[in-house]
């Protein structure tokens, strides 16, 4: 069973950048068909931010982050990344990485992911 550990969260000013990392242990990240980043702001539902289908290398983004965020992976380091640029106050949330085996179904569906990290806080001030 994979263990996912996120890092890289911080407090930044609007317009700034952060790179989140998610290191996998006990299993290779490419074992899973989908790797994703979700976020959850206080009082809001968990939202899919970006995902990568490892088989084809296809990437997917929420409209709110498309063009600003980039999901990537380093197979040698067994690590998933989320590069976040042009950050906005509305990006403030706890960010989670997740992994699932299933191919079918929307990448945005949090319930379809089996493995989750503990989360890392991102705070963007105006």
């Amino acid at each position: 069973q994979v263990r996912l550990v996120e890092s890289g969260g911080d407090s930044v000013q609007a317009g700034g950048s952060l790179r989140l990392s998610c290191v996998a242990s006990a299993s290779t990240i490419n074992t899973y068909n989908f790797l994703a980043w979700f976020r959850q702001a206080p009082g809001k539902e968990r939202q899919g931010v970006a995902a990568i289908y490892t088989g084809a290398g296809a990437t997917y983004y929420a409209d709110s982050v498309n063009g600003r965020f980039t999901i990537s992976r380093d197979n040698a380091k067994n690590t998933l990344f989320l590069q976040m640029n042009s950050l906005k106050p509305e990006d403030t949330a706890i960010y989670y990485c997740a992994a699932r085996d299933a191919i079918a179904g929307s990448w945005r569906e949090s319930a379809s992911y089996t493995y989750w990290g503990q989360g890392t806080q991102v705070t963007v001030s105006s």
Side-chain angles (χ1 to χ4, degrees):
Q1 180 173 331
V2 68
R3 180 169 178 256
L4 303 173
V5 179
E6 303 96 334
S7 63
D10 205 344
S11 296
V12 296
Q13 297 267 342
S17 297
L18 285 174
R19 188 173 83 154
L20 304 184
S21 300
C22 174
V23 178
S25 61
S27 186
T28 304
I29 56 172
N30 287 338
T31 299
Y32 304 93
N33 282 303
F34 273 88
L35 304 169
W37 287 96
F38 285 78
R39 67 186 181 187
Q40 188 165 20
K44 295 189 177 181
E45 292 187 356
R46 193 166 293 191
Q47 173 195 27
V49 175
I52 185 166
Y53 173 36
T54 60
T59 55
Y60 308 87
Y61 296 93
D63 289 344
S64 59
V65 307
N66 197 22
R68 299 188 297 123
F69 290 11
T70 302
I71 188 171
S72 64
R73 56 182 167 158
D74 185 327
N75 295 333
K77 296 182 179 179
N78 216 26
T79 301
L80 180 71
F81 298 103
L82 184 68
Q83 178 67 42
M84 306 187 295
N85 299 328
S86 301
L87 283 161
K88 303 176 180 180
E90 51 263 44
D91 294 320
T92 295
I94 299 174
Y95 284 71
Y96 301 89
C97 65
R100 79 182 198 196
D101 299 308
I103 296 176
S106 172
W107 68 267
R108 305 171 190 270
E109 181 54 58
S110 61
S112 68
Y113 289 81
T114 305
Y115 308 104
W116 292 85
Q118 82 291 349
T120 186
Q121 176 70 48
V122 172
T123 302
V124 184
S125 57
S126 57

